Amino acid sequence: MSDERSKRSFPLSSQERGPGGEFVYSVIGLMSGTSLDGLDIAFCRFRKEPSKWQYELVLAETVPYSGEWLERLASLVNAPGQKLTEADTEYGFLLGRLVSDFIRRNKIRPDFIASHGHTVFHRPEKHFTLQIGKGSAIAAVTGLPVVCDFRSLDVNLGGQGAPLVPVGDRLLFPEFDYCLNLGGFANISFEEKGKRIAFDIC
């Protein structure tokens, strides 16, 4: 993962802790799936308690893509390098504008943005994956820290590129034996010999 930081301090100050002194994080998550139905924006709160993490999904919406962006995203797999780089930056600015509008309309104050981006290439067997939506562009528009590039390290370590899904499953849903994530591609995670195992299944 990379972290595009802006002016705001991070981690959170003690003034933003819960009543028991625990840290409380208010986060906007961004996701664009293979369905191309739009940008998913979720505003969540996470609270670290002694025994586990607690979470709350406060607000969520899907912003449909314009016809132009729908066509552009669908065709990027065949785009030359310069066009792909251009799209990475321009899509990042688009995400920044959509998030800024979401923040303004809902009168919220997130601490940071976690952006998955939109997948153009995903070939874990060849150790590469690409999600566009430049984090520095999102940070420039919103003025907030941006955490991004979730998949690359896991893929380079031999994984299938979903490190946050199994980690989140372990921290947020420890009472379940298995966690199944449904989408354009489905994956599963579970504990095996003290390790969290995760992989795509269909």
Side-chain angles (χ1 to χ4, degrees):
M1 283 185 295
S2 67
D3 174 10
E4 303 289 349
R5 294 170 186 265
S6 67
K7 299 175 183 176
R8 180 163 180 152
S9 61
F10 187 84
L12 305 183
S13 70
S14 59
Q15 293 179 342
E16 296 174 279
R17 295 189 181 191
E22 70 276 11
F23 280 117
V24 178
Y25 298 89
S26 295
V27 185
I28 285 182
L30 305 179
M31 179 71 187
S32 176
T34 52
S35 60
L36 285 173
D37 55 348
L39 175 69
D40 294 328
I41 307 176
F43 178 57
C44 307
R45 288 198 181 94
F46 298 91
R47 187 175 69 255
K48 179 66 169 69
E49 297 184 345
S51 60
K52 66 173 292 188
W53 283 87
Q54 300 289 343
Y55 70 94
E56 177 187 6
L57 176 58
V58 182
L59 297 165
E61 68 177 57
T62 298
V63 181
Y65 290 124
S66 66
E68 178 185 355
W69 269 108
L70 192 63
E71 182 179 347
R72 190 174 184 183
L73 291 173
S75 64
L76 281 177
V77 68
N78 297 312
Q82 183 170 327
K83 290 291 185 183
L84 190 58
T85 303
E86 183 180 273
D88 181 26
T89 300
E90 291 183 0
Y91 184 62
F93 282 119
L94 173 68
L95 297 186
R97 292 191 297 271
L98 293 176
V99 170
S100 294
D101 179 65
F102 180 82
I103 291 171
R104 184 174 57 254
R105 284 188 288 105
N106 292 291
K107 298 179 174 60
I108 55 177
R109 292 178 55 196
D111 299 302
F112 62 92
I113 297 165
S115 177
H116 175 274
H118 183 81
T119 299
V120 177
F121 303 114
H122 185 61
R123 296 293 300 275
E125 75 281 4
K126 293 184 176 291
H127 300 287
F128 72 86
T129 186
L130 176 65
Q131 286 71 45
I132 66 165
K134 191 173 286 294
S136 57
I138 302 172
V141 175
T142 63
L144 291 167
V146 176
V147 183
C148 54
D149 194 20
F150 298 153
R151 294 175 179 258
S152 297
L153 180 59
D154 189 63
V155 167
N156 287 319
L157 288 170
Q160 295 193 348
L164 290 192
V165 173
V167 170
D169 291 345
R170 169 186 271 178
L171 294 176
L172 298 178
F173 310 110
E175 66 273 25
F176 294 101
D177 293 329
Y178 299 89
C179 289
L180 178 65
N181 176 47
L182 297 175
F185 293 90
N187 56 58
I188 195 168
S189 79
F190 53 90
E191 295 291 319
E192 184 174 271
K193 298 179 180 178
K195 294 183 178 180
R196 195 76 187 185
I197 306 298
F199 48 87
D200 291 337
I201 57 175
C202 61

